[in-house]
Amino acid sequence: MTGAAPLPRDPAGTPVLRVSGLGKRYGDASVFRQVDLQVQRGEFVAIVGDSGVGKSTLLNCLAGLDTWDEGRILQGDTDLSLLDDTRRALWRRRQVGFVFQAFHVLPHLDVAQNVALPLMLLGQDDPARVGQMLDAVGLQGLGSRLPQQLSGGQLQRVAIARALVHRPALLLADEPTGNLDPGTAARVMELLLAQTREQGAALVLVTHSQTAAALADRVLRLSADGASVEPRA
């Protein structure tokens, strides 16, 4: 696998994502605490740590899919803690692309329809944009196929195209290579980084893969003792 080119930075602008003193508990048990993070446009941050330290839960909080008990999450100038469930859903629809480990494609829709879902939810009909994304992820000519006719690597590429088709500011990915063989995983990471760079999104990715984490600009390491941010060596 060839190394991905550096992602464009916008250091002078407002960070796409700002997390300050974030903490979550289940009862008396702390899931994570004192998480501080800023992510700029075009930057890739990997979240790593042992199983059970709350990596996926943190990602769900960043997407406004889960609640937290202390701290703040701001996407641009939007404070997620000030939004009710409906406004969070509308915010997420416009600003967030989410790549799930389990793909979560809809089996009764073909590939093109799955990719078009975010645009449909925004009231936009843009077949040209869908076709552009299918070409970008190497699925040209497969738009009419159903998900069950695709390989795992192809399904993950459908998920990436769907997450990016509406040009979100924030791209979140939860173990996007966890179900893939090493060769396919490498190609998926190359694609994810290339498309993030192309669109200038901020990418935050949860992973157990040292290979994937090594591509990040910075690493947020979660542990039972807290969180720390490490630059790439």
Side-chain angles (χ1 to χ4, degrees):
M1 167 180 162
T2 58
L7 300 178
R9 303 290 189 82
D10 185 18
T14 300
V16 173
L17 181 69
R18 287 174 286 171
V19 181
S20 176
L22 201 70
K24 181 174 179 61
R25 296 183 299 274
Y26 288 135
D28 294 330
S30 176
V31 180
F32 53 78
R33 58 188 179 84
Q34 289 301 310
V35 175
D36 297 300
L37 179 66
Q38 293 193 4
V39 189
Q40 296 283 350
R41 176 181 176 271
E43 189 175 24
F44 167 28
V45 174
I47 301 176
V48 303
D50 294 336
S51 297
V53 297
K55 300 185 299 299
S56 293
T57 301
L58 173 58
L59 202 70
N60 286 336
C61 289
L62 300 184
L65 292 168
D66 205 343
T67 58
W68 54 95
D69 297 293
E70 56 192 21
R72 300 176 72 195
I73 301 173
L74 289 90
Q75 186 271 312
D77 294 324
T78 301
D79 188 336
L80 269 62
S81 65
L82 302 181
L83 305 181
D84 59 22
D85 288 344
T86 298
R87 292 170 66 199
R88 280 190 192 179
L90 292 173
W91 162 81
R92 189 164 47 245
R93 186 178 298 177
R94 293 189 298 267
Q95 300 294 337
V96 178
F98 208 121
V99 182
F100 299 92
Q101 180 178 1
F103 313 138
H104 290 309
V105 298
L106 299 181
H108 59 286
L109 298 182
D110 66 28
V111 167
Q113 290 168 330
N114 268 284
V115 172
L117 273 174
L119 295 174
M120 182 192 71
L121 292 172
L122 290 170
Q124 302 173 7
D125 182 22
D126 195 346
R129 173 64 179 165
V130 172
Q132 179 187 23
M133 286 307 309
L134 290 175
D135 289 348
V137 301
L139 294 175
Q140 57 268 34
L142 301 183
S144 62
R145 290 196 182 182
L146 291 172
Q148 55 265 36
Q149 297 174 295
L150 303 183
S151 68
Q154 289 172 324
L155 287 171
Q156 192 58 288
R157 283 184 271 164
V158 172
I160 291 171
R162 180 184 58 194
L164 285 163
V165 71
H166 60 303
R167 299 182 176 90
L170 179 61
L171 183 62
L172 305 174
D174 192 0
E175 293 282 5
T177 61
N179 291 324
L180 306 177
D181 64 84
T184 303
R187 289 191 293 273
V188 163
M189 281 303 304
E190 285 260 343
L191 171 64
L192 190 58
L193 289 173
Q195 287 302 306
T196 301
R197 179 182 67 244
E198 181 79 16
Q199 301 204 30
L203 172 62
V204 181
L205 181 147
V206 165
T207 185
H208 281 104
S209 166
Q210 293 182 354
T211 301
L215 297 171
D217 298 296
R218 289 181 294 140
V219 171
L220 175 69
R221 188 172 300 278
L222 282 185
S223 71
D225 297 324
S228 60
V229 178
E230 307 166 358
R232 183 168 62 181

